[in-house]
Amino acid sequence: MRILTALGFAAALASALPLAAHAKHQAKESTAPKIHKIEKVAENVYCIFGQGGNVGLIVTANHAILIDDQFERLVPGLVEAVRSVTPKPIKYLINTHGHGDHVGGNVVLEKQVMAIVAHANVRKAMIKEQAKLEPAKRGGLPELALGSEDAKERARLDIHLDGTDLHLLHLGPGHTDGDIIVGLPAVPVLHMGDLFFLGMLPYIDVEGGGSFDGLASQIAAVASWVPDNTRIIPGHGPVCGKPELLRYRDLLLAIQAHVKANPAKDGPALAASFDTATWPEWKPRPEFVTWETLFSVASGKGPGRVSRP
């Protein structure tokens, strides 16, 4: 696997102090009820649940690292949750991909971190989306991008901070064209972003470069090498382990096999003839992803989710 590093990485990030605040996107006092819950995943590793994607928190000897950040409006509560665990400055913010429920807080948190890290396609997609906004509402773009715009090109970036080692891996198109997995091999823990849904059916963002076959291939690959005692933070759903990952792999492979065995059927017909009761861990959401839309995207004939009005 090719290892990509950013030029001047160490020099640019030598200081651990937060960046100076600027006028744009100041964090506001939140009067909303507290929604964030914290679960300790391993020593110095936590999952923060709220609204949107699951947030990873890693505490090193002198710093903190965040993985994803949910929505802009939730940043005050998210920061409060982080501070309930550690007062250490947040040095890096890692985005597992570019959807708003995972990067929405970037515009606020960019003032409090030394660098935002993501795949090159996440930065590209965010620039495209922010071009539609007023200049005052833009911000929070990743400063450090791994990989290339060719989503099929695998990439890896290693971060070594205060004796803690992180591996950022891009294995190809899956949920989107810019997904990364964050691994802490010493623990071991994986934050898999939206490559892994647990409790709801997976979403393949076709417009965002996602691929059902790519997702199935990635999950099978990870399941083949992940240690048995690994703790896994999915993009959505409860913290779990290798048994749940293996079940997820088997679900995706079963869907692939069903599509291959029934080439003439469309999404609804495929869903109706599939034994969905065998997979109770993955539930359809009528407003988001149903068995019908999942089979449509798996057969290459749909957008991956229920059409928005």
Side-chain angles (χ1 to χ4, degrees):
M1 181 180 290
R2 179 180 168 193
I3 300 177
L4 303 184
T5 58
L7 293 176
F9 188 86
L13 303 177
S15 172
L17 295 176
L19 299 179
H22 50 73
K24 185 170 64 173
H25 302 297
Q26 292 288 341
K28 299 178 181 178
E29 292 296 326
S30 175
T31 57
K34 296 183 186 298
I35 62 169
H36 291 97
K37 297 180 180 179
I38 304 168
E39 178 178 341
K40 186 173 182 178
V41 179
E43 189 65 28
N44 296 320
V45 182
Y46 303 82
C47 179
I48 303 176
F49 303 95
Q51 292 177 351
N54 293 334
V55 175
L57 171 63
I58 302 163
V59 182
T60 70
N62 301 308
H63 304 92
I65 299 171
L66 272 185
I67 305 171
D68 290 339
D69 54 25
Q70 300 180 350
F71 297 102
E72 180 179 356
R73 69 179 186 277
L74 302 179
V75 168
L78 175 59
V79 171
E80 183 179 350
V82 171
R83 294 301 171 226
S84 73
V85 173
T86 178
K88 296 172 183 176
I90 304 169
K91 188 161 188 177
Y92 303 135
L93 168 60
I94 301 170
N95 294 148
T96 62
H97 64 289
H99 286 156
D101 61 324
H102 294 258
V103 304
N106 282 24
V107 293
V108 176
L109 288 172
E110 68 175 351
K111 303 183 298 294
Q112 303 179 36
V113 304
M114 288 305 302
I116 300 174
V117 188
H119 187 269
N121 282 331
V122 172
R123 178 177 169 84
K124 179 182 177 182
M126 290 180 68
I127 290 173
K128 182 179 179 180
E129 286 300 311
Q130 291 193 13
K132 306 172 186 177
L133 304 176
E134 299 175 7
K137 295 182 179 180
R138 300 172 189 168
L141 295 175
E143 294 97 352
L144 295 175
L146 69 148
S148 73
E149 292 182 6
D150 180 359
K152 294 181 181 179
E153 180 179 313
R154 294 187 173 195
R156 169 172 167 171
L157 177 67
D158 293 348
I159 295 177
H160 309 285
L161 180 64
D162 304 332
T164 298
D165 297 333
L166 285 77
H167 300 323
L168 280 59
L169 305 175
H170 170 75
L171 301 177
H175 171 62
T176 68
D177 61 3
D179 304 292
I180 61 173
I181 298 169
V182 182
L184 289 91
V187 183
V189 170
L190 289 182
H191 191 309
M192 297 191 66
D194 281 2
L195 291 170
F196 193 178
F197 282 74
L198 184 57
M200 65 183 77
L201 294 177
Y203 168 43
I204 312 299
D205 183 2
V206 176
E207 292 183 356
S211 162
F212 181 89
D213 288 342
L215 174 66
S217 176
Q218 287 192 55
I219 296 304
V222 174
S224 71
W225 53 254
V226 68
D228 290 343
N229 62 335
T230 301
R231 300 293 290 158
I232 300 173
I233 301 174
H236 298 267
V239 175
C240 60
K242 187 171 181 177
E244 290 82 4
L245 181 67
L246 294 176
R247 277 281 289 173
Y248 185 51
R249 175 204 62 188
D250 292 347
L251 166 66
L252 299 176
L253 296 180
I255 291 172
Q256 272 189 326
H258 190 61
V259 169
K260 185 177 181 179
N262 298 277
K265 291 184 178 180
D266 61 9
L270 286 164
S273 56
F274 185 70
D275 184 12
T276 59
T278 301
W279 311 97
E281 303 99 313
W282 290 275
K283 298 175 175 57
R285 294 177 60 184
E287 79 289 357
F288 186 35
V289 180
T290 64
W291 284 107
E292 291 78 11
T293 57
L294 181 57
F295 271 103
S296 292
V297 74
S299 58
K301 302 172 184 176
R305 62 161 294 158
V306 174
S307 298
R308 294 168 177 155

